[in-house]
Structures are given as structure tokens and as C-alpha cells.
């Protein structure tokens, strides 16, 4: 295997005991119209446009900083918004169905000006979904052997991950497409950008065809 990777056992999932309480949800309506889209929203919204899906995006509201970013930068771009409460405490906000104007923003950005990590993360328009059980292996990126890449917008991604996903789950799982486990993958813009703040990066690989089907970013 490549010297910049180390095969490991599947990392344990960080379980949050607070999720066992009474579950309730409340719908939100957003009348705010934004003519721009932040880097944080681009990262999640681009999935829908690249793959032609209306996917459900779940965003942890772990603290006021996360909630402020979600409400100001993400919520205004969506039609279907739900607040999820456990024992009366707001735990996450789910968003689905981009507004027509927001889809146009993403389409224009994908043609020119999108956060550079996004076209690297989604190299093809084919989601590598399992049709039958598959054997996967996990590989830890040896970050000292990767050349870091400083992209100014990455700081906004780092800030949001730190106050949301990392607090709630310890990590975020992304779904790269068109990634094959080969030596050239160490030059991935996504890996090089995210090692500037991630404690660990783990690749989830389909052992049959060596395609990378998951990217765990730990903080």
C-alpha cells in the first residue's frame, strides 16, 4: 500500500446519549432571499445540483455559533426546513429542496467560482451506492506526507465543522465520487485543504474495485 496511508480498523462512532429523549420537530418558513451563497452552504447545496437530487441535509446546532451560521447562511436557500428537538432542546436543523433562485446560484458557481474543493470532491455525477453487501477497508491518511493547501474559504468550513459536526459527532462523513485509491489521490485538493485543520482523515474504500466511497474528517 502507499506510504501516505495506513490501514486501520473501522473507527468507533461517537454516540451521543442526549439523542435518547423525546423527539419533536417544528417547521420553519424562511422569507429571506439571498443573492449570494456562502462557502458553507455551497458545500452542502452543490450535492443536489451535481447529482440531480433533493437530498436531506442534517446540520447539528451544537452551539450558538453553529445556529447563527445555519440560520443566516443556509436556511434562507431552502423551502423545507425543520427544527429537531430532543427533550425540548434544539439539536439539529434539517433542510431540503433548494429554492429556484438558489439552484441558479449554485449552477452559476459550478460553472465559475465554486469553492475549489467541491469539483474535486465530486469528480463524477455517479453516486457509488451499494446494491449488495460490500467489503470495505479504512485507511488513515498520514498527514505529514501530504502537502497542505491553504485556500482562504477553507477557514469558513473549518469554523463551521468545529462548532457543529465535530462537537456533536467528532467527525463529518463526506461522499466523494470518482475517487480511486491510487498514488495520485494524495494530490486531492480536498485532502490537502482539509489536513490544514483536521485531526485525522480516514478513507473508506470498497475493497473490490478500490473506489473511495467515504471520507471521514475528524476534528
Amino acid at each position: 500500500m502507499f506510504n501516505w496511508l495506513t490501514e486501520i480498523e473501522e473507527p468507533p462512532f461517537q454516540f451521543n446519549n442526549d439523542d435518547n429523549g423525546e423527539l419533536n420537530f417544528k417547521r420553519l418558513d424562511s422569507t429571506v432571499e439571498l443573492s449570494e451563497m456562502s462557502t458553507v452552504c455551497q458545500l452542502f447545496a452543490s450535492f443536489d445540483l451535481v447529482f440531480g437530487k433533493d437530498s436531506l441535509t442534517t446540520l447539528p446546532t451544537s452551539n450558538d455559533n453553529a445556529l447563527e451560521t445555519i440560520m443566516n447562511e443556509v436556511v434562507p436557500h431552502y423551502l423545507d426546513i425543520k427544527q429537531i428537538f430532543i427533550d425540548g432542546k434544539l439539536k439539529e436543523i434539517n433542510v431540503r429542496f433548494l429554492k429556484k433562485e438558489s439552484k441558479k446560484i449554485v449552477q452559476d458557481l459550478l460553472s465559475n467560482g465554486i469553492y475549489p474543493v467541491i469539483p474535486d470532491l465530486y469528480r463524477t455525477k455517479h453516486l457509488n451506492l451499494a446494491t449488495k453487501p460490500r467489503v470495505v477497508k479504512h485507511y488513515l491518511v498520514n498527514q505529514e506526507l501530504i502537502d497542505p493547501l491553504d485556500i482562504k474559504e477553507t477557514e469558513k468550513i473549518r469554523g463551521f465543522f468545529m462548532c457543529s459536526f465535530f462537537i456533536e459527532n467528532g467527525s463529518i462523513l463526506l461522499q466523494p465520487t470518482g475517487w480511486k485509491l491510487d498514488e495520485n489521490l494524495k494530490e486531492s485538493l480536498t485532502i490537502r485543504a482539509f489536513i490544514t485543520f483536521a485531526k485525522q482523515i480516514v478513507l473508506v474504500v470498497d475493497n473490490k474495485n478500490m473506489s473511495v466511497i467515504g471520507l471521514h474528517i475528524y476534528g
Side-chain angles (χ1 to χ4, degrees), residues 116-193:
V117 161
I118 292 170
D120 175 68
L121 184 64
Y122 304 128
R123 298 180 182 184
T124 70
K125 294 183 179 181
H126 174 65
L127 276 174
N128 193 353
L129 301 177
T131 56
K132 57 184 178 180
R134 56 187 173 191
V135 177
V136 299
K137 291 189 175 182
H138 296 78
Y139 294 93
L140 175 68
V141 174
N142 301 324
Q143 295 184 208
E144 68 277 6
L145 298 179
I146 304 296
D147 183 22
L149 178 64
D150 287 315
I151 305 174
K152 65 178 183 178
E153 295 93 342
T154 300
E155 179 61 25
K156 297 178 182 178
I157 299 294
R158 181 201 71 83
F160 182 66
F161 284 0
M162 292 287 289
C163 68
S164 58
F165 289 93
F166 291 169
I167 290 178
E168 191 68 20
N169 305 317
S171 68
I172 181 172
L173 176 63
L174 302 175
Q175 294 178 267
T177 60
W179 286 32
K180 288 288 185 179
L181 194 61
D182 57 28
E183 183 64 25
N184 293 329
L185 194 57
K186 70 182 294 186
E187 302 301 328
S188 158
L189 293 184
T190 307
I191 293 174
R192 293 177 60 204

Side-chain angles (χ1 to χ4, degrees), residues 85-100:
F85 296 86
I86 296 180
D87 286 339
K89 180 181 179 181
L90 180 62
K91 295 293 293 183
E92 62 191 41
I93 291 178
N94 294 344
V95 294
R96 194 175 186 185
F97 302 120
L98 280 165
K99 294 177 179 177
K100 181 180 179 180

Side-chain angles (χ1 to χ4, degrees), residues 28-33 71 74-79 81 99:
L28 280 180
D29 291 319
S30 175
T31 58
V32 177
E33 298 291 343
M71 293 299 295
V74 180
V75 162
H77 288 290
Y78 286 85
L79 294 170
I81 308 142
K99 294 177 179 177

Side-chain angles (χ1 to χ4, degrees), residues 15-59:
F15 180 72
N16 194 329
N17 291 324
D18 292 341
D19 292 347
N20 292 328
E22 181 184 358
L23 176 67
N24 290 288
F25 74 90
K26 178 182 178 182
R27 291 187 180 274
L28 280 180
D29 291 319
S30 175
T31 58
V32 177
E33 298 291 343
L34 298 181
S35 59
E36 297 181 338
M37 184 175 289
S38 72
T39 306
V40 170
C41 193
Q42 288 177 36
L43 185 64
F44 298 106
S46 60
F47 186 94
D48 288 11
L49 270 293
V50 171
F51 300 107
K53 294 182 175 293
D54 289 312
S55 58
L56 179 70
T57 299
T58 297
L59 303 169

